[in-house]
Amino acid sequence: MSKVEEYREKLRALDSWDAFLMQESCLPGPRANLELAFAVALEGTEDQILRFAYLNSEEAPYNTQEEFLSFCGVLGLGYLAARGEGEYFSILRERASDPRWRIREAVALGLQKYGQASIEHLLDMMEEWSKGTLLERRAVVATLCEPGLLVDRNHASRIMDILQEITVSILGENDRRSEDFKVMRKGLAYGWSVAVAAQPLIGKPRMEKWIGSQDSDIQWIMKQNLRKKRLSRMDESWVQDQLEALG
């Protein structure tokens, strides 16, 4: 039995979850208890999930046990949507700009779960988000640059179109010292490598178009992607050629 399944059994035996979840959260600490969070997302009722998801950064500050409840709730929203138990995308979009990085990660994980059930709708929604704020764009990259969503060639092509538009949007950004811009740039610094490694035939030509960019942030993004081991495992000679072209 997996750890997630063990936690699911324990949750089913509890009348109230809050104290158990906080005790087992592993927070404060560097890594929250993801296995328990997935168990909550699978077992939680709509009322439980929503109550947790609405905990804001004042009620559940960063790196506290209370934040774990918020993480579980936001993650659970994607699971509820995947099961057809309502649509909570407006809450997820709001949480995509949350000041707590774990909550932003929960948004991506929840949306990935939804994408397993409704990939076309997810892609439509991500196209809309990709025109939003910097942190919304970062959520799109974190959500879609996931190997499991890139298996189908047509879906991968759409994902790379979205990735392309988000990369283009950098050229119109004036305030590149903001924390939000740095977070979005960091997402792109690994997202391209995930997409290209999953679908190299369609990914490599798209990435190559950015190698000659004179924009310093785009150059940095491409260099960071080219340093990822997933790309060198895919085609080491191609990676070396692109790094040489970057200079």
Side-chain angles (χ1 to χ4, degrees), residues 9-57:
E9 283 196 357
K10 291 180 180 179
L11 292 174
R12 293 183 198 124
L14 295 174
D15 293 326
S16 178
W17 290 5
D18 294 35
F20 176 76
L21 295 182
M22 289 191 289
Q23 180 181 344
E24 297 292 322
S25 68
C26 297
L27 297 180
R31 181 188 184 274
N33 189 338
L34 295 180
E35 292 82 9
L36 179 54
F38 287 124
V40 173
L42 289 164
E43 290 293 325
T45 66
E46 184 176 29
D47 287 345
Q48 287 172 316
I49 295 298
L50 287 171
R51 180 167 64 85
F52 293 158
Y54 277 117
L55 292 171
N56 59 37
S57 59

Short mmCIF file of all heavy atoms in Angstrom, two decimals, residues 9-57:
data_model
loop_
_atom_site.label_atom_id
_atom_site.label_comp_id
_atom_site.label_asym_id
_atom_site.label_seq_id
_atom_site.Cartn_x
_atom_site.Cartn_y
_atom_site.Cartn_z
N GLU A 9 -6.81 5.99 4.27
CA GLU A 9 -7.47 5.15 5.27
C GLU A 9 -7.56 5.86 6.62
O GLU A 9 -8.60 5.81 7.30
CB GLU A 9 -6.72 3.82 5.43
CG GLU A 9 -6.97 2.83 4.30
CD GLU A 9 -6.54 1.43 4.67
OE1 GLU A 9 -5.99 1.25 5.79
OE2 GLU A 9 -6.74 0.51 3.85
N LYS A 10 -6.50 6.52 7.00
CA LYS A 10 -6.51 7.24 8.28
C LYS A 10 -7.53 8.37 8.26
O LYS A 10 -8.23 8.60 9.26
CB LYS A 10 -5.11 7.79 8.58
CG LYS A 10 -4.08 6.71 8.90
CD LYS A 10 -2.71 7.33 9.20
CE LYS A 10 -1.69 6.24 9.51
NZ LYS A 10 -0.35 6.80 9.79
N LEU A 11 -7.63 9.08 7.15
CA LEU A 11 -8.58 10.19 7.07
C LEU A 11 -10.02 9.70 7.15
O LEU A 11 -10.87 10.36 7.76
CB LEU A 11 -8.35 10.97 5.76
CG LEU A 11 -7.04 11.76 5.65
CD1 LEU A 11 -6.89 12.36 4.26
CD2 LEU A 11 -6.97 12.85 6.71
N ARG A 12 -10.29 8.57 6.55
CA ARG A 12 -11.65 8.03 6.60
C ARG A 12 -12.08 7.70 8.03
O ARG A 12 -13.28 7.72 8.33
CB ARG A 12 -11.75 6.75 5.74
CG ARG A 12 -11.59 6.99 4.25
CD ARG A 12 -11.76 5.69 3.47
NE ARG A 12 -11.21 5.81 2.12
CZ ARG A 12 -10.30 5.00 1.61
NH1 ARG A 12 -9.84 3.98 2.32
NH2 ARG A 12 -9.86 5.18 0.38
N ALA A 13 -11.11 7.42 8.89
CA ALA A 13 -11.43 7.06 10.27
C ALA A 13 -11.55 8.27 11.20
O ALA A 13 -11.92 8.12 12.36
CB ALA A 13 -10.35 6.11 10.80
N LEU A 14 -11.27 9.46 10.69
CA LEU A 14 -11.29 10.66 11.51
C LEU A 14 -12.58 11.45 11.31
O LEU A 14 -13.07 11.59 10.19
CB LEU A 14 -10.10 11.56 11.18
CG LEU A 14 -8.70 11.03 11.49
CD1 LEU A 14 -7.65 12.00 10.96
CD2 LEU A 14 -8.52 10.81 12.99
N ASP A 15 -13.12 12.00 12.42
CA ASP A 15 -14.29 12.87 12.33
C ASP A 15 -13.88 14.29 11.96
O ASP A 15 -14.58 14.99 11.24
CB ASP A 15 -15.06 12.88 13.65
CG ASP A 15 -15.69 11.53 13.96
OD1 ASP A 15 -16.11 10.85 13.00
OD2 ASP A 15 -15.74 11.16 15.14
N SER A 16 -12.73 14.72 12.47
CA SER A 16 -12.20 16.05 12.20
C SER A 16 -10.75 15.91 11.73
O SER A 16 -9.97 15.16 12.34
CB SER A 16 -12.27 16.93 13.44
OG SER A 16 -11.71 18.21 13.20
N TRP A 17 -10.40 16.63 10.68
CA TRP A 17 -9.09 16.45 10.07
C TRP A 17 -8.06 17.49 10.48
O TRP A 17 -6.86 17.23 10.39
CB TRP A 17 -9.23 16.50 8.54
CG TRP A 17 -9.92 15.34 7.93
CD1 TRP A 17 -10.53 14.29 8.58
CD2 TRP A 17 -10.08 15.09 6.53
NE1 TRP A 17 -11.06 13.41 7.68
CE2 TRP A 17 -10.81 13.87 6.41
CE3 TRP A 17 -9.70 15.76 5.38
CZ2 TRP A 17 -11.15 13.32 5.18
CZ3 TRP A 17 -10.03 15.22 4.14
CH2 TRP A 17 -10.75 14.02 4.04
N ASP A 18 -8.48 18.66 10.86
CA ASP A 18 -7.57 19.81 10.96
C ASP A 18 -6.34 19.52 11.82
O ASP A 18 -5.20 19.75 11.39
CB ASP A 18 -8.29 21.03 11.51
CG ASP A 18 -9.36 21.55 10.57
OD1 ASP A 18 -10.00 20.73 9.88
OD2 ASP A 18 -9.56 22.78 10.50
N ALA A 19 -6.56 19.03 13.04
CA ALA A 19 -5.44 18.81 13.95
C ALA A 19 -4.47 17.77 13.39
O ALA A 19 -3.24 17.94 13.45
CB ALA A 19 -5.96 18.38 15.32
N PHE A 20 -5.01 16.70 12.81
CA PHE A 20 -4.16 15.65 12.23
C PHE A 20 -3.35 16.19 11.06
O PHE A 20 -2.14 15.94 10.95
CB PHE A 20 -5.02 14.48 11.78
CG PHE A 20 -4.26 13.39 11.06
CD1 PHE A 20 -3.46 12.51 11.78
CD2 PHE A 20 -4.33 13.25 9.68
CE1 PHE A 20 -2.74 11.50 11.13
CE2 PHE A 20 -3.62 12.25 9.02
CZ PHE A 20 -2.82 11.38 9.75
N LEU A 21 -4.00 16.96 10.19
CA LEU A 21 -3.29 17.49 9.02
C LEU A 21 -2.17 18.42 9.43
O LEU A 21 -1.06 18.36 8.87
CB LEU A 21 -4.28 18.23 8.11
CG LEU A 21 -5.37 17.40 7.46
CD1 LEU A 21 -6.24 18.28 6.56
CD2 LEU A 21 -4.80 16.24 6.66
N MET A 22 -2.42 19.27 10.40
CA MET A 22 -1.38 20.20 10.83
C MET A 22 -0.24 19.46 11.52
O MET A 22 0.94 19.76 11.29
CB MET A 22 -1.98 21.28 11.73
CG MET A 22 -2.86 22.26 10.97
SD MET A 22 -3.33 23.73 11.92
CE MET A 22 -4.47 23.01 13.10
N GLN A 23 -0.56 18.47 12.32
CA GLN A 23 0.47 17.71 13.02
C GLN A 23 1.36 16.96 12.05
O GLN A 23 2.58 16.84 12.25
CB GLN A 23 -0.19 16.73 13.99
CG GLN A 23 0.81 15.88 14.78
CD GLN A 23 0.11 14.90 15.71
OE1 GLN A 23 -1.07 15.03 15.99
NE2 GLN A 23 0.85 13.91 16.19
N GLU A 24 0.78 16.45 10.97
CA GLU A 24 1.51 15.64 9.99
C GLU A 24 2.00 16.44 8.79
O GLU A 24 2.51 15.87 7.83
CB GLU A 24 0.61 14.50 9.49
CG GLU A 24 0.18 13.52 10.55
CD GLU A 24 1.33 12.69 11.07
OE1 GLU A 24 2.20 12.31 10.26
OE2 GLU A 24 1.36 12.41 12.29
N SER A 25 1.87 17.74 8.85
CA SER A 25 2.14 18.59 7.68
C SER A 25 3.61 18.68 7.29
O SER A 25 3.94 19.01 6.15
CB SER A 25 1.63 20.01 7.95
OG SER A 25 2.40 20.63 8.97
N CYS A 26 4.52 18.41 8.24
CA CYS A 26 5.98 18.61 8.07
C CYS A 26 6.35 20.08 7.98
O CYS A 26 7.47 20.42 7.58
CB CYS A 26 6.52 17.86 6.85
SG CYS A 26 6.33 16.07 6.96
N LEU A 27 5.43 20.96 8.31
CA LEU A 27 5.70 22.39 8.36
C LEU A 27 5.67 22.86 9.81
O LEU A 27 4.89 22.35 10.60
CB LEU A 27 4.67 23.17 7.53
CG LEU A 27 4.65 22.87 6.03
CD1 LEU A 27 3.59 23.72 5.35
CD2 LEU A 27 6.01 23.10 5.39
N PRO A 28 6.53 23.85 10.16
CA PRO A 28 7.52 24.50 9.28
C PRO A 28 8.61 23.51 8.86
O PRO A 28 8.98 22.63 9.61
CB PRO A 28 8.10 25.61 10.15
CG PRO A 28 7.28 25.67 11.39
CD PRO A 28 6.53 24.40 11.51
N GLY A 29 9.11 23.73 7.66
CA GLY A 29 10.14 22.86 7.13
C GLY A 29 10.31 23.09 5.65
O GLY A 29 9.55 23.83 5.03
N PRO A 30 11.29 22.44 5.03
CA PRO A 30 11.57 22.66 3.61
C PRO A 30 10.59 21.97 2.68
O PRO A 30 10.42 22.39 1.53
CB PRO A 30 12.98 22.10 3.43
CG PRO A 30 13.10 21.05 4.51
CD PRO A 30 12.31 21.58 5.68
N ARG A 31 9.94 20.89 3.15
CA ARG A 31 9.05 20.11 2.27
C ARG A 31 7.78 19.75 3.01
O ARG A 31 7.82 19.10 4.05
CB ARG A 31 9.75 18.84 1.79
CG ARG A 31 8.90 17.98 0.85
CD ARG A 31 9.59 16.65 0.56
NE ARG A 31 8.84 15.84 -0.40
CZ ARG A 31 7.84 15.03 -0.08
NH1 ARG A 31 7.44 14.93 1.19
NH2 ARG A 31 7.22 14.31 -1.02
N ALA A 32 6.66 20.18 2.46
CA ALA A 32 5.37 19.80 3.04
C ALA A 32 5.09 18.33 2.75
O ALA A 32 5.69 17.72 1.86
CB ALA A 32 4.27 20.68 2.47
N ASN A 33 4.16 17.76 3.47
CA ASN A 33 3.79 16.35 3.32
C ASN A 33 2.88 16.19 2.10
O ASN A 33 1.66 16.22 2.21
CB ASN A 33 3.09 15.86 4.59
CG ASN A 33 2.88 14.36 4.60
OD1 ASN A 33 2.88 13.71 3.56
ND2 ASN A 33 2.70 13.82 5.79
N LEU A 34 3.49 16.02 0.95
CA LEU A 34 2.73 15.95 -0.30
C LEU A 34 1.84 14.73 -0.36
O LEU A 34 0.73 14.78 -0.91
CB LEU A 34 3.68 15.97 -1.50
CG LEU A 34 4.49 17.25 -1.71
CD1 LEU A 34 5.38 17.11 -2.94
CD2 LEU A 34 3.58 18.46 -1.85
N GLU A 35 2.31 13.61 0.18
CA GLU A 35 1.50 12.40 0.15
C GLU A 35 0.19 12.62 0.91
O GLU A 35 -0.88 12.19 0.45
CB GLU A 35 2.28 11.24 0.75
CG GLU A 35 3.48 10.79 -0.08
CD GLU A 35 4.71 11.65 0.13
OE1 GLU A 35 4.70 12.51 1.07
OE2 GLU A 35 5.69 11.49 -0.61
N LEU A 36 0.26 13.28 2.04
CA LEU A 36 -0.95 13.57 2.81
C LEU A 36 -1.84 14.56 2.06
O LEU A 36 -3.07 14.42 2.05
CB LEU A 36 -0.58 14.12 4.18
CG LEU A 36 -1.74 14.51 5.11
CD1 LEU A 36 -2.71 13.36 5.29
CD2 LEU A 36 -1.19 15.00 6.45
N ALA A 37 -1.24 15.54 1.41
CA ALA A 37 -2.02 16.52 0.65
C ALA A 37 -2.80 15.84 -0.47
O ALA A 37 -3.97 16.15 -0.71
CB ALA A 37 -1.11 17.60 0.09
N PHE A 38 -2.16 14.90 -1.18
CA PHE A 38 -2.86 14.18 -2.24
C PHE A 38 -3.99 13.33 -1.67
O PHE A 38 -5.06 13.20 -2.27
CB PHE A 38 -1.88 13.30 -3.03
CG PHE A 38 -0.96 14.07 -3.93
CD1 PHE A 38 0.42 13.94 -3.82
CD2 PHE A 38 -1.47 14.93 -4.89
CE1 PHE A 38 1.26 14.66 -4.65
CE2 PHE A 38 -0.63 15.65 -5.72
CZ PHE A 38 0.74 15.52 -5.60
N ALA A 39 -3.77 12.77 -0.48
CA ALA A 39 -4.84 11.99 0.16
C ALA A 39 -6.02 12.88 0.50
O ALA A 39 -7.19 12.49 0.30
CB ALA A 39 -4.30 11.31 1.42
N VAL A 40 -5.76 14.08 0.98
CA VAL A 40 -6.84 15.03 1.28
C VAL A 40 -7.59 15.39 0.01
O VAL A 40 -8.83 15.46 -0.01
CB VAL A 40 -6.27 16.29 1.95
CG1 VAL A 40 -7.36 17.36 2.10
CG2 VAL A 40 -5.67 15.96 3.31
N ALA A 41 -6.86 15.64 -1.07
CA ALA A 41 -7.50 16.01 -2.34
C ALA A 41 -8.40 14.89 -2.85
O ALA A 41 -9.45 15.15 -3.45
CB ALA A 41 -6.44 16.34 -3.38
N LEU A 42 -8.02 13.65 -2.58
CA LEU A 42 -8.80 12.51 -3.04
C LEU A 42 -10.00 12.22 -2.13
O LEU A 42 -11.04 11.77 -2.60
CB LEU A 42 -7.91 11.27 -3.12
CG LEU A 42 -6.88 11.25 -4.25
CD1 LEU A 42 -5.81 10.20 -4.00
CD2 LEU A 42 -7.57 11.00 -5.59
N GLU A 43 -9.85 12.46 -0.83
CA GLU A 43 -10.88 12.08 0.13
C GLU A 43 -11.77 13.24 0.59
O GLU A 43 -12.87 13.01 1.11
CB GLU A 43 -10.22 11.46 1.37
CG GLU A 43 -9.60 10.09 1.14
CD GLU A 43 -10.64 9.03 0.82
OE1 GLU A 43 -11.75 9.08 1.38
OE2 GLU A 43 -10.33 8.14 0.00
N GLY A 44 -11.29 14.46 0.42
CA GLY A 44 -12.00 15.60 0.97
C GLY A 44 -13.35 15.87 0.32
O GLY A 44 -13.52 15.69 -0.88
N THR A 45 -14.30 16.30 1.14
CA THR A 45 -15.59 16.73 0.60
C THR A 45 -15.47 18.13 0.04
O THR A 45 -14.50 18.85 0.31
CB THR A 45 -16.67 16.72 1.70
OG1 THR A 45 -16.34 17.73 2.68
CG2 THR A 45 -16.76 15.36 2.38
N GLU A 46 -16.46 18.53 -0.71
CA GLU A 46 -16.45 19.89 -1.28
C GLU A 46 -16.36 20.93 -0.18
O GLU A 46 -15.60 21.90 -0.29
CB GLU A 46 -17.71 20.10 -2.12
CG GLU A 46 -17.74 21.44 -2.83
CD GLU A 46 -18.96 21.58 -3.72
OE1 GLU A 46 -19.99 20.95 -3.41
OE2 GLU A 46 -18.88 22.31 -4.72
N ASP A 47 -17.11 20.76 0.89
CA ASP A 47 -17.09 21.73 1.98
C ASP A 47 -15.71 21.81 2.63
O ASP A 47 -15.21 22.90 2.93
CB ASP A 47 -18.14 21.37 3.04
CG ASP A 47 -19.56 21.65 2.57
OD1 ASP A 47 -19.72 22.38 1.57
OD2 ASP A 47 -20.51 21.13 3.20
N GLN A 48 -15.08 20.65 2.87
CA GLN A 48 -13.76 20.65 3.47
C GLN A 48 -12.74 21.33 2.58
O GLN A 48 -11.95 22.18 3.03
CB GLN A 48 -13.31 19.21 3.75
CG GLN A 48 -14.01 18.53 4.90
CD GLN A 48 -13.67 17.05 4.99
OE1 GLN A 48 -13.66 16.36 3.96
NE2 GLN A 48 -13.38 16.56 6.18
N ILE A 49 -12.75 20.96 1.31
CA ILE A 49 -11.79 21.53 0.36
C ILE A 49 -11.95 23.05 0.26
O ILE A 49 -10.96 23.80 0.29
CB ILE A 49 -11.96 20.88 -1.03
CG1 ILE A 49 -11.61 19.39 -0.99
CG2 ILE A 49 -11.13 21.61 -2.08
CD1 ILE A 49 -10.19 19.08 -0.61
N LEU A 50 -13.17 23.52 0.14
CA LEU A 50 -13.39 24.96 0.01
C LEU A 50 -12.98 25.71 1.27
O LEU A 50 -12.41 26.80 1.20
CB LEU A 50 -14.86 25.22 -0.31
CG LEU A 50 -15.30 24.88 -1.73
CD1 LEU A 50 -16.81 24.99 -1.87
CD2 LEU A 50 -14.62 25.78 -2.75
N ARG A 51 -13.28 25.15 2.42
CA ARG A 51 -12.90 25.81 3.68
C ARG A 51 -11.39 25.99 3.75
O ARG A 51 -10.90 27.06 4.13
CB ARG A 51 -13.41 25.00 4.87
CG ARG A 51 -13.05 25.62 6.23
CD ARG A 51 -13.84 24.96 7.35
NE ARG A 51 -13.50 23.55 7.50
CZ ARG A 51 -12.47 23.11 8.22
NH1 ARG A 51 -11.66 23.97 8.83
NH2 ARG A 51 -12.23 21.81 8.33
N PHE A 52 -10.65 24.97 3.37
CA PHE A 52 -9.19 25.07 3.37
C PHE A 52 -8.70 26.04 2.29
O PHE A 52 -7.80 26.85 2.53
CB PHE A 52 -8.56 23.69 3.13
CG PHE A 52 -8.76 22.70 4.24
CD1 PHE A 52 -8.66 21.34 3.99
CD2 PHE A 52 -9.05 23.11 5.53
CE1 PHE A 52 -8.83 20.41 5.00
CE2 PHE A 52 -9.23 22.19 6.55
CZ PHE A 52 -9.12 20.83 6.29
N ALA A 53 -9.30 25.96 1.11
CA ALA A 53 -8.82 26.77 -0.02
C ALA A 53 -8.98 28.26 0.22
O ALA A 53 -8.21 29.06 -0.31
CB ALA A 53 -9.55 26.36 -1.30
N TYR A 54 -9.97 28.63 1.00
CA TYR A 54 -10.23 30.05 1.24
C TYR A 54 -9.34 30.65 2.33
O TYR A 54 -9.41 31.85 2.59
CB TYR A 54 -11.70 30.27 1.59
CG TYR A 54 -12.59 30.38 0.37
CD1 TYR A 54 -13.59 29.44 0.14
CD2 TYR A 54 -12.43 31.42 -0.54
CE1 TYR A 54 -14.41 29.54 -0.99
CE2 TYR A 54 -13.24 31.53 -1.66
CZ TYR A 54 -14.23 30.58 -1.87
OH TYR A 54 -15.03 30.68 -2.99
N LEU A 55 -8.50 29.85 2.97
CA LEU A 55 -7.58 30.39 3.97
C LEU A 55 -6.53 31.24 3.27
O LEU A 55 -5.77 30.75 2.45
CB LEU A 55 -6.90 29.25 4.74
CG LEU A 55 -7.81 28.41 5.66
CD1 LEU A 55 -7.05 27.19 6.16
CD2 LEU A 55 -8.32 29.25 6.81
N ASN A 56 -6.49 32.53 3.60
CA ASN A 56 -5.55 33.42 2.92
C ASN A 56 -4.22 33.48 3.66
O ASN A 56 -4.00 32.79 4.66
CB ASN A 56 -6.16 34.82 2.77
CG ASN A 56 -6.52 35.45 4.10
OD1 ASN A 56 -5.82 35.27 5.10
ND2 ASN A 56 -7.63 36.18 4.12
N SER A 57 -3.32 34.32 3.17
CA SER A 57 -1.96 34.36 3.70
C SER A 57 -1.89 34.95 5.10
O SER A 57 -0.88 34.76 5.80
CB SER A 57 -1.04 35.16 2.76
OG SER A 57 -1.52 36.49 2.60
#
